[in-house]
Amino acid sequence: MQLEMAAEELKTVVNRLRRAQGQIAGVIKMIEEGRDCEEVVTQLAAASRALDRAGFAIIATGLQNCLADLQEGDGSAETAVDRDRTRARLEKLFLSLA
């Protein structure tokens, strides 16, 4: 399963990941400076949400692409096996973010 995303979707995901990267760098700096625990946890939670949203966007795109591929399929047994494998892989990815 290869990730294929439209330019706008890709830009959104990359922006979320960059935001998370900046937030994580900020958390590291806050810890090194001995900042308040509540502030650190708040920033860490924000970084976690940004990563989750990026992951969900990627999974949603994967689901959309898989559905499109299935609609183009010929309905053979091989397609059903591929569909089951793909579903299992996507389910595993989704649960890894839950």
Side-chain angles (χ1 to χ4, degrees):
M1 177 173 37
Q2 187 173 351
L3 179 63
E4 296 177 15
M5 298 180 81
E8 189 60 35
E9 292 171 331
L10 183 62
K11 182 180 177 183
T12 300
V13 169
V14 169
N15 284 342
R16 285 183 176 149
L17 292 172
R18 285 192 176 127
R19 186 177 312 121
Q21 183 179 33
Q23 289 168 326
I24 291 169
V27 168
I28 292 169
K29 185 176 179 183
M30 292 171 76
I31 291 170
E32 291 173 343
E33 293 173 350
R35 298 273 296 272
D36 180 66
C37 179
E38 186 175 343
E39 293 176 20
V40 172
V41 171
T42 299
Q43 286 304 310
L44 195 55
S48 179
R49 282 191 306 274
L51 289 172
D52 287 345
R53 287 183 179 163
F56 287 131
I58 290 168
I59 290 173
T61 299
L63 287 170
Q64 185 178 19
N65 289 340
C66 288
L67 289 174
D69 290 348
L70 289 175
Q71 289 174 349
E72 294 172 5
D74 61 5
S76 68
E78 183 178 0
T79 302
V81 170
D82 289 342
R83 181 180 62 232
D84 290 343
R85 286 182 186 152
T86 299
R87 190 198 69 208
R89 289 168 58 197
L90 288 169
E91 183 178 327
K92 184 178 178 181
L93 286 172
F94 181 78
L95 289 173
S96 73
L97 291 174

